Structures are given as C-alpha cells and as structure tokens.
C-alpha cells in the first residue's frame, strides 16, 4: 500500500512528550509514515531539560542523506535545530533535495525555561530557513524574538506580527496564542492576504509539554497527504486541542499531551453519527 511520508528534523526528548518522539507519534496517528533526523539528544523529563547534547554536522547530514536519497518525503517538520551551523546545513539539504511542504517550528525555549536555540542561531533561522518554509508556527515569545520586539499580549499585536513575519519569506504564518492568559485559545493563520482566526475553548491544565511540536507535526502530516494548508492547520488545531483536553498526568512536573486522543474522539464521533 502507498502512504504519505513525513520527516521530522528535531531534537530527541528522553521523556517522550516533545521533540522527535511527539512528532513520530503524531505522524502515526494521522496515518503517515514517520521518519527522523536527530539534531540533538536531550536529557529531559516533566521537570525540565537537564542536558542538551548536539549531534555533529556529519551525523545530521548523514541522516538527511540516508532518508532523502532513498525514501524521500512528502513533508518535513523542523523543530529544535540548536545552532546556526545546524540550521544552515538543514536549509542547504532541503533546497538540494527540493523538498516541498516544509513546516518550521522555531523551537527556542522549553516549557521549563531552558534555551533550546543559541542566540546567534536566530539570525540564521530568519535568513536561511524561513524563506523556504511553507508554514512557520511560532508561539508569542518566539515570534517576538524573531522580530526583535517585546512579547505580544493582544490579538492586534499578533496580527501585526503575522504580517511582519510573512515578509521574511514563509508562504504561511501561524502564530500560536497559547501564552495569552485569558479568553479562548486563539491561533492566527496568515496567508499573505487574509488573517484567519482559529479559536477553541481554552483548556485549563498545566500538562502541555510538547504542544508546539505536536501541532507543527500535525500540520506537516496533513500537508504530506495533499491537504490544502488552511485545512491542514485546522485539523492540527483540532488534533492538539484533543490532545490537551486529554493530557496525561505523568511525572512530577508538566506532563505531556495525549497523542491518541484525536483518533479516539474521531472514532466516537463516527459511532454517534
């Protein structure tokens, strides 16, 4: 049987809630064949990041070559890239293999506050990766960091940031509003012409480890299957909302979301209908 193929280029989360592990779970749940390129190993659990161990450029390039020269991919999702050198390498290889459907999650800071992207890497991200991206998915702090401004606190500031980030090259910009502290959970999608507001009821839980990774991976999975971008983002929003609503109380700190929740909700909906 044929199946859409998805590749994640990101860091490994030993705790299983974010990074490569979250991406592969999401790819599987959305019926695509998941593959990975590990850019860094992290010693991580629900209490935080206890160590980051970047892979060599040689190891990262070898992984990319192995996957793309043989299997290929219908979409790529990038996550934790850590350094300017890794970002430059990834951008170069994606262009070399003419990869389509590139979803860039500009991972900068872990839930516990640990830095996952070196300061000098932000410039490389905006100059080399954003111009070839199909979709970028920054949260509010990440969007502010890339634009060199104070963190946004209003919907109007989010809208302006989406417009300004689009000028850096990506075809679509999704700004996640999870850091807003009041009201519904609002994300914005900007396609260069119109801003689409994606709104759901805010779920009150601290167990949100891996939400950004999962959301971006879900977009990539849908794009890999040929779904139009706006619809892919809407499905990803539904996927992560279900995952947060059924988040797992695992560990002593910020627990992970439940990657199987969307499939279960869809099955229950089908039975009712």
């Amino acid at each position: 049987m044929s199946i859409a193929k998805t590749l994640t280029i990101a860091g490994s989360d030993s705790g299983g809630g974010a990074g490569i592990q979250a991406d592969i779970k999401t790819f599987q749940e959305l019926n695509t064949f998941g593959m990975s390129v590990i850019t860094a190993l992290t010693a991580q659990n629900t209490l935080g990041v206890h160590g980051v161990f970047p892979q060599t450029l040689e190891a990262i390039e070898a992984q990319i070559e192995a996957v793309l020269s043989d299997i290929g991919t219908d979409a790529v999702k990038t996550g934790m890239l850590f350094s300017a050198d890794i970002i430059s390498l990834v951008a170069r290889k994606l262009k070399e293999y003419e990869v389509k459907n590139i979803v860039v999650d500009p991972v900068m800071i872990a839930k516990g506050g640990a830095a996952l992207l070196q300061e000098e890497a932000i410039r490389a991200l905006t100059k080399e990766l954003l111009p070839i991206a199909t979709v970028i998915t920054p949260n509010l702090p990440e969007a502010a960091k890339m634009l060199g401004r104070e963190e946004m606190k209003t919907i109007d500031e989010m809208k302006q940031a989406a417009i300004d980030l689009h000028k850096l090259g990506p075809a679509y910009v999704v700004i996640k509003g999870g850091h807003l502290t009041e009201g519904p959970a609002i994300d914005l999608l900007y396609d260069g012409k119109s801003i689409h507001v994606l709104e759901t009821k805010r779920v009150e839980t601290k167990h949100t480890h891996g939400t950004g990774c999962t959301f971006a991976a879900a977009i990539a999975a849908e794009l890999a299957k040929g779904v139009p971008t706006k619809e892919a983002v809407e499905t990803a929003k539904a996927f992560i909302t279900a995952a947060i609503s059924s988040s797992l109380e695992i560990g002593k700190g910020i627990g992970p979301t439940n990657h199987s929740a969307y499939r279960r909700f869809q099955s229950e909906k089908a039975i009712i209908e």
Side-chain angles (χ1 to χ4, degrees):
M1 62 178 288
S2 79
I3 187 170
K5 297 165 290 188
T6 41
L7 171 64
T8 171
I9 304 177
S12 170
D13 173 7
S14 57
I20 291 285
Q21 287 81 353
D23 295 344
I24 293 293
K25 292 172 187 176
T26 302
F27 293 161
Q28 180 79 14
E29 288 293 329
L30 290 172
N31 301 311
T32 67
F33 180 76
M35 302 164 289
S36 66
V37 170
I38 299 176
T39 58
L41 302 176
T42 69
Q44 189 173 171
N45 55 25
T46 65
L47 296 174
V49 179
H50 304 282
V52 177
F53 309 94
Q55 300 299 285
T56 64
L57 294 178
E58 180 183 11
I60 295 169
E61 184 170 14
Q63 292 175 80
I64 296 173
E65 287 280 354
V67 172
L68 296 184
S69 66
D70 173 31
I71 304 168
T73 189
D74 297 301
V76 165
K77 177 256 177 176
T78 69
M80 176 187 172
L81 300 179
F82 190 70
S83 72
D85 286 343
I86 293 175
I87 291 169
S88 296
L89 169 64
V90 169
R92 175 168 58 82
K93 300 307 289 187
L94 293 181
K95 286 186 282 188
E96 177 184 332
Y97 280 94
E98 300 181 344
V99 173
K100 309 298 182 186
N101 297 321
I102 300 171
V103 180
V104 175
D105 183 21
V107 178
M108 296 182 185
I109 301 172
K111 280 287 188 298
L116 299 178
L117 186 68
Q118 295 178 337
E119 284 292 330
E120 63 268 25
I122 296 174
R123 179 177 175 82
L125 182 76
T126 57
K127 295 294 184 181
E128 300 184 54
L129 206 50
L130 263 56
I132 65 172
T134 308
V135 184
I136 63 171
T137 62
N139 58 29
L140 297 185
E142 291 162 349
K145 196 80 170 177
M146 286 190 288
L147 293 170
R149 61 185 61 164
E150 296 296 319
E151 185 175 339
M152 292 152 281
K153 298 180 180 179
T154 69
I155 300 299
D156 286 341
E157 288 176 324
M158 287 175 63
K159 290 179 178 179
Q160 187 58 54
I163 293 170
D164 293 340
L165 285 170
H166 187 269
K167 294 175 183 176
L168 297 177
Y172 295 83
V173 176
V174 177
I175 296 189
K176 300 172 294 190
H179 283 74
L180 297 177
T181 56
E182 297 180 355
I186 292 178
D187 301 323
L188 300 181
L189 167 64
Y190 181 59
D191 59 10
K193 296 180 180 179
S194 304
I195 291 178
H196 306 277
V197 178
L198 305 172
E199 180 178 324
T200 58
K201 182 179 179 181
R202 184 176 295 275
V203 179
E204 297 300 331
T205 178
K206 72 172 184 177
H207 301 300
T208 57
H209 182 55
T211 51
C213 304
T214 300
F215 178 66
I219 295 174
E222 292 301 293
L223 292 178
K225 294 184 289 188
V227 174
T229 304
K230 183 174 180 291
E231 185 179 335
V233 174
E234 290 171 341
T235 297
K237 175 77 168 175
F239 186 95
I240 192 58
T241 299
I244 295 171
S245 298
S246 300
S247 56
L248 304 172
E249 296 185 11
I250 292 174
K252 302 173 183 176
I254 299 173
T257 64
N258 187 342
H259 292 87
S260 67
Y262 179 77
R263 171 169 46 87
R264 189 179 74 249
F265 287 177
Q266 292 297 101
S267 298
E268 292 172 354
K269 180 181 177 183
I271 291 172
I272 292 173
E273 292 177 349

